[in-house]
Amino acid sequence: MAGLCEGRVVIVTGAGRGLGRAHALAFAAEGAKVVVNDLGVALDGRAAADGPAQLVVREIRKLGGEAVAHGGDIATSAGADSLVETAVDTFGRLDTLVNNAGFLRDRMLVNLDEDDWDAVVRVHLKGHFLPLRAAAAWWRAQAKAGRRVAARVVNTSSGAGLLGSVGQGNYSAAKAGILGMTLVAAAEMGRYGVQVNAIAPAARTRMTEQAFAQTMAAPEEGGFDAMAPQNVSPLVVWLGSEASAGVTGRVFEAEGGRITVMEGWRPGPTADRGARWTASEAGEATLKLLAAAEAPLPVYGAR
């Protein structure tokens, strides 16, 4: 029986380890041809000696799939453009882009260096934008040439982007920005046959293993490992397939066996006097509105 993504060409960034590796293997298992992107950097984004992308390509090929490695920096225009070119030159097309690459440099805001802010925002937010732009340009050209496009983009945000996370101001800001960009891209690119969604996954990876080591017990032998990155991949594969037709501009949390549709900002209690408030009047009205509003969910790590 044909896989859910049979014949589709899929790019996964940051696919050398963790969630990205799990996604790449899952897409290949469903019949996709995969471009495995990974710069091979350490957890904090600095140069590392190994090349994990090629290892994942070997895994896929050993299992009978098709894959090619890409080691470029997708937070540069040249790297993002060459990523799309690799897919098209190797496999003749591009159908799905999974933006996943990222790293951490955690600090409290008062101790956060400007370079650490720039580096994290660059790889997460710019590293989503540039591959998205390059892929969108190719899909738009295909649509304008009269060719059918059923393209999919899956962006990777985080609970930190939804709620904030103490000690991760740079990461939280970048992940929140990805959500905003997802909504805009879905609205702008639908006319070309492109659907854009985002996930906020929770899984044990290099970025999260220390946090989970402190809060989560290891699974019993033979039991369900709720924090395994492979648990997130089925949703990503479905969103990246034609089976998800009509689903766009949405955000999903995925953890273990749980999938949640996130509903985002919506208007709550409101007051309109039809004229300008004084500061005191505005404050009094605001306190009444807050009393009628739902309390916000807590920031991760807040006491």
Side-chain angles (χ1 to χ4, degrees), residues 16-300:
R17 303 180 180 91
L19 282 166
R21 172 181 172 274
H23 300 340
L25 291 168
F27 272 109
E30 290 288 347
K33 302 171 184 178
V34 186
V35 180
V36 180
N37 164 265
D38 202 288
L39 194 56
V41 297
L43 180 59
D44 63 358
R46 296 181 173 89
D50 54 350
Q54 192 59 54
L55 296 177
V56 176
V57 168
R58 290 174 192 162
E59 283 188 81
I60 291 172
R61 290 176 178 172
K62 187 175 180 179
L63 295 170
E66 295 184 60
V68 63
H70 179 272
D73 182 356
I74 47 82
T76 67
S77 292
D81 291 346
S82 73
L83 178 64
V84 172
E85 289 166 3
T86 296
V88 175
D89 292 347
T90 305
F91 299 121
R93 58 185 295 116
L94 173 61
D95 300 289
T96 298
L97 168 65
V98 179
N99 281 315
N100 171 76
F103 57 74
L104 296 176
R105 293 189 187 176
D106 292 352
R107 295 284 189 280
M108 293 295 192
L109 286 170
V110 295
N111 297 320
L112 185 61
D113 292 338
E114 185 178 355
D115 288 347
D116 290 338
W117 174 276
D118 289 344
V120 169
V121 172
R122 174 185 181 274
V123 71
H124 286 280
L125 190 51
K126 194 174 181 182
H128 271 60
F129 161 63
L130 290 175
L132 175 63
R133 185 182 69 174
W138 192 81
W139 288 323
R140 181 180 62 180
Q142 296 297 301
K144 288 187 173 182
R147 301 183 183 94
R148 178 178 179 270
V149 175
R152 307 287 187 264
V153 178
V154 183
N155 291 328
T156 305
S157 184
S158 166
L162 294 164
L163 299 176
S165 179
V166 172
Q168 295 187 311
N170 48 2
Y171 178 72
S172 296
K175 289 303 192 182
I178 287 167
L179 296 176
M181 184 175 65
T182 296
L183 301 180
V184 173
E188 291 183 353
M189 295 168 60
R191 73 192 73 177
Y192 305 120
V194 183
Q195 294 181 183
V196 187
N197 294 286
I199 60 166
R204 187 190 311 102
T205 68
R206 285 198 307 167
M207 294 203 310
T208 62
E209 61 185 357
Q210 289 184 336
F212 286 134
Q214 296 172 3
T215 60
M216 297 292 294
E220 297 181 4
E221 185 175 353
F224 175 55
D225 182 357
M227 289 294 105
Q230 291 82 358
N231 298 331
V232 177
S233 299
L235 174 61
V236 175
V237 170
W238 183 81
L239 288 171
S241 74
E242 286 204 50
S244 65
V247 179
T248 192
R250 304 307 293 260
V251 179
F252 303 88
E253 275 196 334
E255 175 185 347
R258 178 175 61 85
I259 297 171
T260 304
V261 179
M262 304 305 290
E263 295 190 328
W265 293 103
R266 294 177 181 273
T270 186
D272 183 358
R273 64 172 298 175
R276 184 180 301 148
W277 304 87
T278 67
S280 295
E281 290 169 340
E284 183 178 346
T286 298
L287 289 174
K288 291 179 180 179
L289 294 175
L290 289 171
E294 291 188 21
L297 294 174
V299 172
Y300 287 106

